[in-house]
Amino acid sequence: MTEFIRKRVKNVRNDVLSGITVALALVPEAVAFAFVAGVDPLVGLYAAFMIGLITSIFGGRPGMISGATGALAVVMVSLVAEGNAMGSPDENLGLYFLFLTVILMGVIQMLAGVFKLGKFVRLIPHPVMMGFVNGLAIVIFLSQLGMFKQTVNGEKVWLEGNSLWYMIGLVGLTMLMMWGLPKLKATKKLPEALIAILVVSAIVIFSNLDVATVGSFIRDGGGEGLKGGFPVPVLETFSKIPLNFATLKFIFPYALILAAIGLIESLMTLNLIDDLTETRGNSNRECIAQGGANVITGLFGGMGGCAMIGQSIINIKGGGRGRLSGITAAVMLLLFILFASSYIEQVPIAALVGVMFMVVIGTFAWSSFRIMNKIPKTDLFVLILVSSLTVIFDLAIAVIAGVIVSALVFSWENAKRIRARKRIKEDGTKVYEIWGPLFFGSISAFNDKFDAKNDPDKVEIDFIEARISDHSALEALFVLVEKYQAENKTIKLKHLSEDCKVLMYKASDKFHDIIIEDVDDPRYHLAENPEAFPKGLGEYKF
């Protein structure tokens, strides 16, 4: 019992300290993504608080951090701009369209969870997962390079002179501390990222160095500061925007895209955290929690969001494993907004950039370079494709493209595996012993195995080592039977599964004389719905 209590106390301490570290890293990220979307920084900060809190309590992956993300922000910027164009310049309708879209986005995500669509993340191949990780690491790295710029006469220019050297030095110091501190046993009670941020912040404050801070970053972007109040429902959304078909027609495509991007990024991050912690999250529960969080966020004036891979890894590496870590991060973020804005605004951007650079190093799958010559070229192509598309476009396009290419490659490779061993029985019957999967991709090769005109009068096709996989395969069998019957030849089908036989019997009574019943018939199920399939077989009448 004493050991159990000690372990629980240790977990609570790790969760709280890691949550504080994550909260500090969330501030510039949420602010930056709000600027990308073209909305006030508080809209991003409120989203980070509400989504982070709700998903931490109700989500399917303890230890995973959610908030406002760049993948969603790049889609929202078009929505906000189009929405603003629909009203007068002083109305700012784009913001209200955004809130309404986030609510609809959340509803779609909740439906995905209710209908248990989260399990389809299991279909994502490993090369796609590695490409996703590498692509996101590159995206995080590129996003941090923007912190090495300053606003001059309304334009972003690269830092020069002492400002640049101060920035590089402080970033390097932060990274060095995060690398070296874990090797000192005395510092294991505190996350190295938190220690690094506090030390670098103290150096900047007491040395009075002229470097970019969280406060200057917000003001350079056009914001007034981090200070804000407790989020309240934005009821004017429903009075500003008419709830009619025209509004739904405008926001639905955006809501669908945002919901897809949010779920893909969240579920992929969930899988990654599963691997890091060697535990298993609940994908469907995460879908419902993400959706519910976005509905509430939209009602309370947030920009919506999803899982954040960078902050999630900071949390896991800092020892955060339980729900308390995410709850702490969300609550601390709100406390920063309400009471500690003046202190948080003094944190140097360099310290947070250093933390994110270490996240990049820890996120990137460096093993992908080592295995480049050891995996199939098609898998290597998929890995590079997904990484590139993640950087060029966004995560949803990259993952969908990767899955499609992987599926096509799989189908092509399996299509070439269909074989037919041929032999003649003593009574003159020609036997085709089929080996391999019969599906839409292998039908052409399957048909090439037969010669209806030159075969003997009796033909038997044995499927004991084959598998009839789909509707297309069944139709190929119907066409083949029809060809032999047109030549007035007897054909028998042997070792078909029960599913195949049921469908064929329903299509035509003739199949009772064609199919050979055997105790060795295989037992597997088709992907086709047996009740719906016969309706499409009207053209096959014998």
Side-chain angles (χ1 to χ4, degrees):
M1 179 60 72
T2 303
E3 181 64 25
F4 175 77
I5 293 174
R6 286 178 180 173
K7 188 175 181 180
R8 295 290 294 181
V9 171
K10 180 181 178 182
N11 289 341
V12 169
R13 184 182 67 244
N14 289 341
D15 284 345
V16 171
L17 294 175
S18 181
I20 295 173
T21 308
V22 170
L24 290 170
L26 274 173
V27 174
E29 292 283 305
V31 171
F33 296 145
F35 287 148
V36 170
V39 296
D40 188 88
L42 282 176
V43 176
L45 292 168
Y46 286 153
F49 159 65
M50 287 181 283
I51 293 177
L53 180 64
I54 294 170
T55 56
S56 295
I57 297 174
F58 302 105
R61 174 66 266 175
M64 189 166 76
I65 306 298
S66 297
T69 61
L72 299 180
V74 295
V75 178
M76 293 174 180
V77 62
S78 299
L79 168 64
V80 174
E82 287 189 48
N84 286 333
M86 293 182 180
S88 59
D90 59 338
E91 280 186 306
N92 198 24
L93 290 182
L95 187 62
Y96 298 108
F97 274 114
L98 173 62
F99 296 155
L100 207 57
T101 303
V102 170
I103 294 172
L104 181 57
M105 162 194 172
V107 172
I108 295 173
Q109 291 178 327
M110 291 180 71
L111 291 175
V114 169
F115 290 107
K116 301 187 182 303
L117 301 182
K119 61 186 177 184
F120 286 105
V121 74
R122 302 173 193 166
L123 299 178
I124 297 176
H126 188 65
V128 176
M129 189 68 184
M130 289 189 72
F132 151 77
V133 170
N134 290 349
L136 274 186
I138 296 172
V139 169
I140 293 173
F141 173 77
L142 294 176
S143 69
Q144 297 306 304
L145 292 182
M147 303 298 181
F148 287 81
K149 294 182 178 182
Q150 61 182 344
T151 303
V152 177
N153 297 326
E155 294 185 3
K156 287 284 187 179
V157 296
W158 292 100
L159 295 173
E160 296 178 347
N162 289 336
S163 297
L164 177 60
W165 290 113
Y166 285 152
M167 184 73 171
I168 294 175
L170 293 173
V171 169
L173 177 60
T174 304
M175 296 176 68
L176 182 62
M177 292 180 67
M178 290 187 64
W179 173 78
L181 286 175
K183 303 179 184 300
L184 303 176
K185 295 182 179 180
T187 62
K188 286 191 173 182
K189 293 185 178 180
L190 292 174
E192 58 271 14
L194 179 58
I195 297 175
I197 291 173
L198 293 176
V199 170
V200 173
S201 298
I203 292 174
V204 170
I205 293 172
F206 292 112
S207 300
N208 199 25
L209 292 179
D210 184 17
V211 296
T213 62
V214 172
S216 66
F217 177 76
I218 295 174
R219 287 185 287 274
D220 286 346
E224 297 181 358
L226 189 62
K227 182 69 175 177
F230 196 87
V232 295
V234 186
L235 300 178
E236 56 263 36
T237 299
F238 303 100
S239 60
K240 294 278 187 180
I241 307 297
L243 300 179
N244 52 31
F245 179 76
T247 299
L248 180 63
K249 184 179 178 181
F250 171 61
I251 68 173
F252 183 76
Y254 284 107
L256 190 61
I257 293 172
L258 291 171
I261 294 174
L263 287 183
I264 290 173
E265 185 161 358
S266 297
L267 296 180
M268 296 278 283
T269 304
L270 182 146
N271 270 4
L272 179 62
I273 301 302
D274 282 355
D275 292 340
L276 291 175
T277 60
E278 298 182 353
T279 56
R280 187 69 178 269
N282 188 321
S283 56
N284 292 315
R285 179 174 176 178
E286 186 63 32
C287 291
I288 296 175
Q290 291 280 345
N294 278 307
V295 170
I296 295 175
T297 301
L299 290 172
F300 280 79
M303 63 182 284
C306 61
M308 307 179 75
I309 185 171
Q311 278 66 24
S312 297
I313 292 178
I314 290 175
N315 187 44
I316 296 300
K317 297 295 185 183
R321 292 292 188 274
R323 298 186 183 276
L324 183 59
S325 60
I327 295 172
T328 301
V331 172
M332 289 303 298
L333 183 61
L334 180 62
L335 293 178
F336 293 162
I337 298 171
L338 296 177
F339 308 112
S341 59
S342 60
Y343 298 105
I344 300 303
E345 287 179 3
Q346 296 181 54
V347 174
I349 289 294
L352 301 175
V353 171
V355 172
M356 295 308 295
F357 277 170
M358 291 302 289
V359 169
V360 169
I361 294 173
T363 302
F364 195 90
W366 301 100
S367 61
S368 56
F369 292 114
R370 188 179 67 253
I371 64 174
M372 289 179 71
N373 296 325
K374 301 179 182 179
I375 61 176
K377 292 182 179 179
T378 52
D379 286 348
L380 179 61
F381 172 76
V382 170
L383 193 159
I384 297 174
L385 175 69
V386 174
S387 300
S388 302
L389 292 180
T390 301
V391 176
I392 298 171
F393 297 104
D394 59 53
L395 175 65
I397 292 176
V399 172
I400 292 172
V403 171
I404 291 174
V405 172
S406 298
L408 291 175
V409 169
F410 175 81
S411 298
W412 179 261
E413 292 298 323
N414 278 273
K416 297 187 294 185
R417 293 178 181 174
I418 195 76
R419 298 287 187 273
R421 291 189 289 265
K422 305 168 188 178
R423 60 184 176 87
I424 304 294
K425 287 185 176 181
E426 293 182 359
D427 62 357
T429 301
K430 186 173 184 179
V431 179
Y432 289 88
E433 295 178 351
I434 307 300
W435 180 92
L438 184 57
F439 66 109
F440 67 89
S442 60
I443 289 173
S444 179
F446 172 74
N447 289 330
D448 292 339
K449 309 296 181 187
F450 301 94
D451 187 359
K453 288 186 178 181
N454 300 317
D455 277 348
D457 292 337
K458 294 182 179 180
V459 175
E460 182 179 302
I461 306 177
D462 191 342
F463 292 93
I464 188 61
E465 294 184 46
R467 184 183 180 102
I468 313 299
S469 301
D470 60 7
H471 187 161
S472 300
L474 283 171
E475 288 205 7
L477 285 183
F478 286 118
V479 172
L480 185 63
V481 169
E482 191 177 42
K483 283 182 179 179
Y484 277 97
Q485 289 186 339
E487 297 289 336
N488 295 318
K489 296 179 179 180
T490 302
I491 182 171
K492 299 289 185 180
L493 306 179
K494 188 176 181 181
H495 290 134
L496 291 173
S497 73
E498 289 299 321
D499 267 12
C500 294
K501 289 187 285 189
V502 168
L503 291 173
M504 289 182 165
Y505 291 155
K506 285 189 176 183
S508 173
D509 292 336
K510 295 283 187 180
F511 283 105
H512 286 283
D513 300 325
I514 295 174
I515 297 175
I516 300 174
E517 298 282 353
D518 197 303
V519 293
D520 294 329
D521 287 342
R523 298 178 180 273
Y524 60 81
H525 298 282
L526 287 168
E528 188 65 44
N529 180 357
E531 298 300 324
F533 181 81
K535 297 178 182 179
L537 297 177
E539 57 185 301
Y540 300 109
K541 301 294 184 183
F542 305 114

